Amino acid sequence: MKSVLLSLGLAVVSAASAAAPKGPPNIVFIFSDDHAYQAISAYGDERRLLATPNIDRIAKGGMRFDRCLVTNSICGPSRATILTGKYSHLNGFMNNSNSLFDGSQVTLPKVLRQSGYQTALVGKWHLGSDPTGFDFWQILPGQGVYYNPPMIRQGERIQVKGYVTDIITDVSLDWLKNRDKSKPFLLMSQHKAPHREWAPALRHLGSDGDRVYAEPPTLFDDYANRGIAVRDQDMSIEKTMTPKDVKFEAPPQLDPEQRKVWDAYYEPRNAKFRAANPQGKDLVRWRYQRYMHDYLMTVRAVDESVGRVLDYLEKEGLADNTIVVYSSDQGFFLGEHGWFDKRWIFEESLRMPLLVRWPGVTKPGSATADLVSNVDFAQTLLDAAGARAPADMQGRSFVPILRGQRPADWRSAFYYQYFEYPAPHRVRPHYGVVTDRYKLVRYYGTGEDYWELYDRQQDTLEMRSVYGQPAYAEATRQLEADLARLRRELKVPDVIPPHWLGGRNPNAKGPDNAKNPGKAKAKAKAP
Ligand code: CA
């Protein structure tokens, strides 16, 4: 009897210590720019474009989200939504042309800071105004450059030598090492890569051994069975790529030594291209191969950086009480529909990669197809930190999903809206509702007002609109009802001011408005 009691007592003690509060979790938010889920091996894309063993460590240790949907598929707006937990029309950052982030808004880092967190932001920011809510920040001005980038550290402009992805990781790790260790922390480590013009670390040039990458089945999409928007865009590998995109022009930031390494890789291959002088579909195929080489090699450096951060957390004994998030501001086309870039409600552009590792809470190696969004990130991370989210945030905490306890009333329909037009890339403004099966889309604001409906169950590649077909009448009625309800709940205005599409913003102050007049600049065409 005594021994039974003793062992029971021990059991109680050990259970108590396992459940003992470890304090609020640290949060490492690793974020990249334009990183397509097709280029993360944990997502299992059939082209098997690249192995990302370190990013996959997050998936193996946590949860992979297969449908994390962006509210507005473009860089600045996605970032503004993550910070504020609000859609573009409420946080004021509608497009990259003339928006300037209002840093006086309540944001995720500000609420965490009030809750006792130390906060830092390193890398790509791209919101025009200076960051607010961070104890430390060091950002790239604007889009940033890949080699020897200028940076802004707490308002002071500095010049840093090296490759941008490595630098962002170095600065992130330095901050982690020197932080106030008495507080939990939020580190937002945000990469420029793999954003255009997809310039790899010099050590990775040629590291794919001139592999020939599989083409997506829609590389030569003829744009039939859909409206004018898909035909009239300016984001195709065939028509839009520039000499810089295909590396017939070296980045001016390379120093002479770096330039030698660059030329040693690209020059012989460019000479071969000139000699072969491919035309038509062969030219598109050549460009696709070059695009994949460069884009995927930039991801390789991101993956190495993720490994360095995970190694540091493990070495310091921080991993057990740190939530690690990997995501990117939107998806990206890797040749699907003949495109690069983003902006569309189509799946490659709409879906953000999202991997979350939360030891002791999230089941390792789990996955979900529940509809989550960047509009949920702030409330989710605040919930995980035990902080109260402001009532006017528009998302919902997906902590229950991370715990494996999906709420019965989790959203089944998601609202999307894109604004920026015509420059750059001439993607017509559109909004719509997305469910597990359907997308009902309205193109608006350009004088051509029309609807499309996609049935992903029958048409996984989204190649034909079935809008108006009698077989879809009932589904369309339901989607219209969802759309109307979401627009009402999210307070989307019926009439939007023209400057939300770009152009001159009568309300904005500051450099962004002057620098980006929202007009198409004539760009050189790729050879
Ligand atoms: Ca982006």
Side-chain angles (χ1 to χ4, degrees), residues 31-34 79 123-124 140 143-146 164-165 168 190-198 302:
F31 197 59
S32 51
D33 195 338
D34 294 358
R79 291 151 196 271
K124 173 114 177 227
L140 298 166
Q143 286 285 6
V145 296
Y146 275 100
V164 69
T165 305
I168 288 165
Q190 309 199 148
H191 293 289
K192 172 185 171 58
H195 191 276
R196 198 180 184 192
E197 281 101 1
W198 321 299
V302 173

Side-chain angles (χ1 to χ4, degrees), residues 33-34 75 195 329-330 342:
D33 195 338
D34 294 358
C75 312
H195 191 276
D329 55 357
Q330 3 71 209
K342 54 256 181 180

Side-chain angles (χ1 to χ4, degrees), residues 37-50 211 213-218 288 336 348 460-461:
Y37 60 85
Q38 307 93 300
I40 294 177
S41 43
Y43 277 95
D45 188 77
E46 44 194 46
R47 275 181 281 172
R48 300 188 181 281
L49 293 169
L50 175 80
R211 176 179 162 191
Y213 293 98
E215 291 168 5
T218 59
Y288 169 75
E336 299 89 352
E348 295 84 357
T460 51
L461 302 176

Side-chain angles (χ1 to χ4, degrees), residues 103-213:
S104 71
Q105 297 181 77
V106 175
T107 58
L108 164 68
K110 285 184 188 172
V111 182
L112 281 177
R113 210 174 171 193
Q114 284 159 8
S115 311
Y117 275 66
Q118 212 181 2
T119 57
L121 167 79
V122 180
K124 173 114 177 227
W125 172 246
H126 205 212
L127 290 172
S129 53
D130 280 351
T132 56
F134 296 98
D135 294 300
F136 172 81
W137 55 272
Q138 180 166 335
I139 59 170
L140 298 166
Q143 286 285 6
V145 296
Y146 275 100
Y147 307 107
N148 310 320
M151 295 189 84
I152 306 171
R153 183 168 57 202
Q154 317 263 63
E156 180 201 356
R157 209 174 163 94
I158 56 170
Q159 188 66 40
V160 190
K161 190 163 164 63
Y163 184 64
V164 69
T165 305
D166 303 338
I167 293 166
I168 288 165
T169 305
D170 292 343
V171 176
S172 298
L173 289 173
D174 276 350
W175 182 80
L176 280 178
K177 287 169 192 161
N178 296 308
R179 74 190 196 278
D180 175 353
K181 292 185 173 126
S182 68
K183 292 180 180 173
F185 63 85
L186 165 72
L187 168 64
M188 301 181 87
S189 184
Q190 309 199 148
H191 293 289
K192 172 185 171 58
H195 191 276
R196 198 180 184 192
E197 281 101 1
W198 321 299
L202 298 175
R203 66 180 178 281
H204 288 142
L205 290 174
S207 66
D208 66 349
D210 291 317
R211 176 179 162 191
V212 177
Y213 293 98

